[in-house]
Amino acid sequence: MRSLERIDQWPAPHAAAAVVRADGTVAGSHGDTARTFRLASVTKLLTAYAALIGVEEGVVELDTPAGPEGSTIRHLLAHTAGLGFDSDRVMAQPGTRRMYSNAGFQVLGDALAEHSGIPFAEYLSEAVLAPLGMTSTRLEGSPGAGGVSSVDDLVRFAAELQAPKLLDPATLRAATTVAFPGLNGVLPGLGHQKPNDWGLGFEIRDSKSPHWTGADSSPRTFGHFGQSGTFLWVDPDAAAACVVLTDLDFGPWAIEAWPPFTDAVLAELRAA
């Protein structure tokens, strides 16, 4: 795919990308797809998937209490537990505000570890990474931002997100549907969003503006970006997903470069 060559013009020292069709085939790739990068908050997709598997396995339920009083696993996944960005300070009552929280995902990981009886990094590996053959992916820090992976590994995960084998498809559909609809909040790096729609661990594009995906991305697009200059989106209407990893922290360059990149990818997919 020629559109992927756009990453060569970005100021990042290293960048790699791939597009994965809904049937799991790779439509195109560019750059060193075996190179490992820090995922930052793209890690949350892996953590959320492990949590959803935990729900299906009976390790926890979505309504299992976790975090502040009145908060549950569901609240933590949807960033509505009321916790601050990087602290355990309670800023709001659960379910009343969309407050993006790394701390909430740490609490989520701790809850899964407590209920499963094994460290979260081990649970993540057993539930998600090993079954998908993601051999270069590891959790080196928090469940919210401590992942390291390669494009090759995330291609496997992107295929799973389009045709789940580790989860009941109905579970994934529910997780990529807006949870606690109508809540406003801040999309880090992009400002206030009204509403700031989110699923269970997955950010949902809907009609957000500005946004890190493209102007032509469907409202059903879901995924996540990371402050390390990384992103993964799935656009069900395009029947494709895209993974991009870089080693240049998110900033104005990404806000300028990512949306037209995504639009170019979608245009090439439509023309194929």
Side-chain angles (χ1 to χ4, degrees), residues 176 178 187 193-199 202-224 233-236 259 262-263 266:
T176 54
V178 180
L187 187 59
Q193 304 283 347
K194 298 181 179 181
N196 185 20
D197 286 341
W198 221 277
F202 299 88
E203 196 229 324
I204 299 173
R205 193 198 192 290
D206 279 354
S207 58
K208 291 173 181 167
S209 181
H211 200 256
W212 54 274
T213 60
D216 293 334
S217 296
S218 78
R220 295 201 297 152
T221 298
F222 62 88
H224 220 294
W233 55 252
V234 177
D235 189 334
T262 289
D263 285 338
L266 292 172

Side-chain angles (χ1 to χ4, degrees), residues 40-58:
S41 286
V42 173
T43 306
K44 290 182 175 69
L45 297 179
L46 299 172
T47 294
Y49 218 72
L52 295 170
I53 290 172
V55 170
E56 287 201 349
E57 291 180 341

Side-chain angles (χ1 to χ4, degrees), residues 25-45:
T25 60
V26 176
S29 64
H30 192 71
D32 185 355
T33 58
R35 182 185 181 91
T36 57
F37 295 82
R38 293 183 302 112
L39 295 182
S41 286
V42 173
T43 306
K44 290 182 175 69
L45 297 179

